[in-house]
Amino acid sequence: MSEWTGQEFEVRLGAPGHGGFIVARHEGRVVFVRHGLPGELVRARVTEDRGGSFCRADAVEIIEASPDRVPATCPVAGPGGAGCCDFSFATPEAQRALKATVVEEQLRRLAKIEREVTVEPIAGDSGEVTGGWRTRVRLVVDSAGRAGVHRYRSTEVIPDLRCPQPVSGALDGVADRLWTPGADVVVAVDGDGVRHIVELAETPGAGP
């Protein structure tokens, strides 16, 4: 079997899987496709192929969009981006339905339980990943001293802090200063709204 990394092909997306991807099939293999929705026809680019029965891919072009698709709310995620904000390009109702489907499948597969699951919206919230709910964020610092997040399934750092998940003001000014290369930066906002920032230096000898 040839190695598919970097190849692109059209696939019709099927059911959602645990981990923010949609399951598709191409030439007898399973393809775990991120950034798509069930039923969509997409052009997928293979991002990881270790052989065997499956590979991973990004939907880099939406050929036939789902009616549940909306403009993405996170500029940091997306093909080649960070692993945050799964399905921020779906309506809140579709996001909840996707989560319910995944839980139902996990119950069926792992516990042999057949049960219909309903994911309810949080009171006072639209259900969208539009920000304001994460009060603690752990960032990584690249070799240039810039704080950021890891690229999906990678140690590479993306120095872009525009993810909408943190509460308002949590990351104000963090991108404007340089930190210790290789360190982690932990930002936490307590119950009184006070922000705390701690830099955790890289442990000597740690790393690949």
Side-chain angles (χ1 to χ4, degrees):
M1 182 179 295
S2 61
E3 209 268 357
W4 286 2
T5 301
Q7 288 191 31
E8 295 186 6
F9 41 75
E10 292 184 9
V11 288
R12 179 74 66 177
L13 303 184
H18 175 65
F21 59 81
I22 306 296
V23 179
R25 294 184 180 276
H26 182 70
E27 295 184 1
R29 300 182 72 191
V30 173
V31 186
F32 298 141
V33 182
R34 286 176 60 82
H35 316 299
L37 292 172
E40 290 186 327
L41 179 65
V42 306
R43 176 166 293 279
R45 178 184 298 143
V46 178
T47 57
E48 182 181 328
D49 184 2
R50 299 183 180 181
S53 61
F54 74 92
C55 62
R56 302 179 188 275
D58 283 348
V60 295
E61 180 186 354
I62 310 302
I63 300 171
E64 294 180 11
S66 164
D68 294 323
R69 179 173 285 273
V70 295
T73 60
C74 180
V76 186
C84 59
C85 298
D86 292 337
F87 302 120
S88 72
F89 46 84
T91 65
E93 294 79 12
Q95 291 182 40
R96 293 194 291 271
L98 287 166
K99 293 174 184 177
T101 299
V102 170
V103 173
E104 289 173 356
E105 172 59 24
Q106 292 293 302
L107 288 173
R108 184 181 304 111
R109 185 172 64 87
L110 300 178
K112 311 303 180 186
I113 295 174
E114 294 286 342
R115 179 170 298 171
E116 183 176 337
V117 174
T118 300
V119 178
E120 298 181 352
I122 298 174
D125 181 44
S126 67
E128 294 181 87
V129 186
T130 53
W133 63 270
R134 288 193 65 177
T135 58
R136 187 179 186 279
V137 181
R138 186 163 183 152
L139 306 171
V140 288
V141 182
D142 67 11
S143 59
R146 301 171 300 177
V149 294
H150 279 130
R151 195 175 301 281
Y152 180 67
R153 295 181 64 83
S154 171
T155 58
E156 183 181 349
V157 178
I158 302 175
D160 188 336
L161 304 182
R162 293 179 296 160
C163 176
Q165 291 186 19
V167 295
S168 178
L171 299 182
D172 287 356
V174 174
D176 298 332
R177 62 161 291 182
L178 294 180
W179 305 86
T180 303
D184 284 1
V185 175
V186 179
V187 181
V189 179
D190 64 26
D192 295 322
V194 178
R195 183 176 67 164
H196 308 270
I197 302 179
V198 178
E199 183 183 82
L200 304 177
E202 182 180 20
T203 303

